[in-house]
Amino acid sequence: MPDSRNWFPETPATRRRRLTASRRQGMLIHLDGEQLINFASNDYLGLSFHPAVCMGAKGALDDAVGSGASRLISGDDPMLHRLEEKLAAWKGYESCLIVGSGMLANIGLIQALADRHSHLFADKLNHASLVDGARLAGGQSHRFKHLDSKQLSQLLEKHPAEKRIIVSDGIFSMDGDCADAAALLGLAEANDTLLLIDDAHGIGCMGPEGRGITARDNISGHPRLIEVGTFGKAFGSYGAFILGTDELIEGLRQRQRTLIYSTALPVAMIAAAETALLLIQRGQQLQQLRENLALFKEKTAGLGFMASSSPIQPLIIGSDEKALQLAAALRENGFFVPAIRPPTVPEGTARLRFTITAAHSREQIEKLTACLRELL
Ligand SMILES: *Cc1c(COP(=O)(O)O)cnc(C)c1O
């Protein structure tokens, strides 16, 4: 009989995932004694190390680190409610619920929304948290080809049910492309379904004032729409939030198991996220991000990057080996860019995934793109 030493089959070397302990200092990453420029962070606005954001967290630490219990027992804090109100107002929703992380938000949200009689209609490239939430809910899942609203429409026609939900990422994590939120809402209306959009990568970076792709498409706050955002990316902190109508959010307070049975977020994270929201609203970092992205796109024109207006800029390489080789060559030149391989992405689409942030300097982006041109 196997014990824990031979329980798992061995992962081939080109597929092995690695935890690489590194210290970060601004946009620099210290890795195995090397100092590299980090082009692999979701900290799109550089707020994770912004002095005001750090100060916000430090201020909250004077009283306690941990919250000690679930929000439904004694772990709740007025600061959570204040930030929920600010987020709801900013995004144009009635109500907001802060939970532990984006992963917990989606797993618990879909589990609460759907039961075994419900039908879910999901983009094939949706984030793992949405996939896992659907599995837990136990209803029927129908997956449509990436961004294919025609196929989605056909599936909706074919599978009538009382409770149906269309589920999509806003910005897709590995491709950097963008859902057509307005078209999805149109289908939700025409077919009498809910629409869940997880704009983890878009909120803070996309749309007017960084209010995400639903604001860009002018549908933010619609009663058919439920939205998820994270503090882990553009907000530079940790945690996540769900936006919707008063009744929906109250229903989640009663039912969402990842809220009820998990320790409340530390207030230091909330204080950091609240400061981050203020900075996002002021807009300086977003302006810088847009300039940096424009520079990156100008300097990589013709190199075959995927079409993406988000900070996620993937370059499909194809084979695992080649992608790994290129990542290693970039690393030798002082740049940290990950090779993303199957099973994270489909077979034969191994890629380099660059992320551009507001905190990169012009010079860092120019050096990277010059080096990439040379290597390709
Ligand atoms: C990152 C991400 C999540 C997970 O959010 P965390 O706060 O990191 O747990 C969920 N959905 C999408 C689309 C993401 O990109």
Side-chain angles (χ1 to χ4, degrees):
M1 291 296 268
D3 64 19
S4 66
R5 290 165 298 185
N6 51 14
W7 192 263
F8 294 122
E10 208 174 326
T11 311
T14 57
R15 289 284 156 95
R16 195 161 300 148
R17 304 175 205 244
R18 274 199 183 81
L19 297 174
T20 36
S22 63
R23 297 222 55 182
R24 286 163 304 281
Q25 200 172 35
M27 292 324 292
L28 296 179
I29 182 165
H30 301 269
L31 203 69
D32 302 334
E34 285 175 296
Q35 179 180 293
L36 308 165
I37 304 170
N38 189 358
F39 283 97
S41 172
N42 302 325
D43 181 16
Y44 301 124
L45 301 175
L47 295 183
S48 78
F49 53 89
H50 190 287
V53 178
C54 296
M55 192 74 83
K58 276 182 201 150
L61 282 174
D62 283 345
D63 292 331
V65 178
S67 60
S70 155
R71 290 189 69 183
L72 281 94
I73 306 296
S74 65
D76 203 14
D77 187 282
M79 214 185 275
L80 283 149
H81 292 261
R82 191 170 72 199
L83 183 53
E84 284 173 344
E85 276 171 28
K86 286 186 182 178
L87 286 165
W90 180 57
K91 286 281 291 152
Y93 286 85
E94 286 176 6
S95 208
C96 174
L97 183 66
I98 291 176
V99 295
S101 73
M103 187 82 186
L104 288 172
N106 287 335
I107 287 181
L109 173 61
I110 300 184
Q111 190 189 13
L113 288 173
D115 59 24
R116 61 197 175 82
H117 304 295
S118 314
H119 286 240
L120 299 164
F121 300 82
D123 189 292
K124 275 201 175 146
L125 294 192
N126 276 353
H127 191 263
S129 54
L130 297 168
V131 177
D132 291 359
R135 282 189 191 145
L136 261 180
Q140 284 207 48
S141 272
H142 312 280
R143 299 180 80 186
F144 56 91
K145 228 174 89 207
H146 182 47
L147 300 180
D148 189 341
S149 40
K150 206 160 158 201
Q151 193 183 21
L152 168 58
S153 177
Q154 289 163 353
L155 284 169
L156 286 163
E157 205 142 293
K158 221 166 110 190
H159 300 283
E162 193 188 340
K163 289 190 163 177
R164 301 189 293 172
I165 313 168
I166 300 171
V167 183
S168 179
D169 281 20
I171 301 289
F172 288 84
S173 333
M174 293 303 143
D175 289 31
D177 55 358
C178 193
D180 184 342
L184 291 178
L185 183 65
L187 282 174
E189 293 247 79
N191 292 277
D192 198 18
T193 78
L194 286 184
L195 172 61
L196 165 55
I197 291 193
D198 171 12
D199 203 12
H201 291 281
I203 299 177
C205 301
M206 307 293 289
E209 240 192 273
R211 279 182 289 116
I213 68 145
T214 61
R216 182 202 65 187
D217 288 4
N218 252 316
I219 61 165
S220 199
H222 194 283
R224 277 195 190 276
L225 180 57
I226 303 165
E227 213 172 318
V228 174
T230 178
F231 297 138
K233 288 164 183 157
F235 281 73
S237 168
Y238 192 78
F241 51 98
I242 302 165
L243 297 152
T245 56
D246 285 333
E247 293 81 357
L248 175 96
I249 297 297
E250 178 52 27
L252 294 177
R253 284 187 204 111
Q254 305 306 320
R255 292 173 182 79
Q256 179 152 349
R257 294 167 68 82
T258 57
L259 167 79
I260 300 169
Y261 299 107
S262 187
T263 303
L265 272 176
V267 287
M269 291 299 107
I270 299 305
E274 192 172 13
T275 313
L277 176 60
L278 191 72
L279 291 169
I280 291 170
Q281 288 171 326
R282 288 195 186 146
Q284 190 189 327
Q285 287 79 17
L286 181 58
Q287 178 59 31
Q288 189 61 54
L289 172 62
R290 288 184 174 156
E291 282 171 30
N292 286 355
L293 258 175
L295 176 67
F296 180 83
K297 288 174 82 78
E298 177 201 321
K299 297 288 180 188
T300 54
L303 290 183
F305 273 79
M306 293 177 76
S308 156
S309 58
S310 77
I312 301 165
Q313 296 286 326
L315 179 64
I316 302 266
I317 303 299
S319 82
D320 295 11
E321 288 81 1
K322 249 187 160 166
L324 285 170
Q325 274 167 16
L326 259 173
L330 282 166
R331 188 165 163 172
E332 272 166 36
N333 285 278
F335 306 104
F336 187 63
V337 179
I340 310 280
R341 290 155 288 155
T344 305
V345 292
E347 282 298 329
T349 70
R351 65 199 67 186
L352 293 175
R353 180 178 179 272
F354 299 77
T355 51
I356 306 303
T357 78
H360 288 116
S361 68
R362 199 182 162 87
E363 193 196 357
Q364 288 173 332
I365 294 171
E366 282 172 347
K367 273 191 181 160
L368 167 76
T369 50
C371 173
L372 189 60
R373 267 191 193 279
E374 192 94 336
L375 290 173
L376 291 172

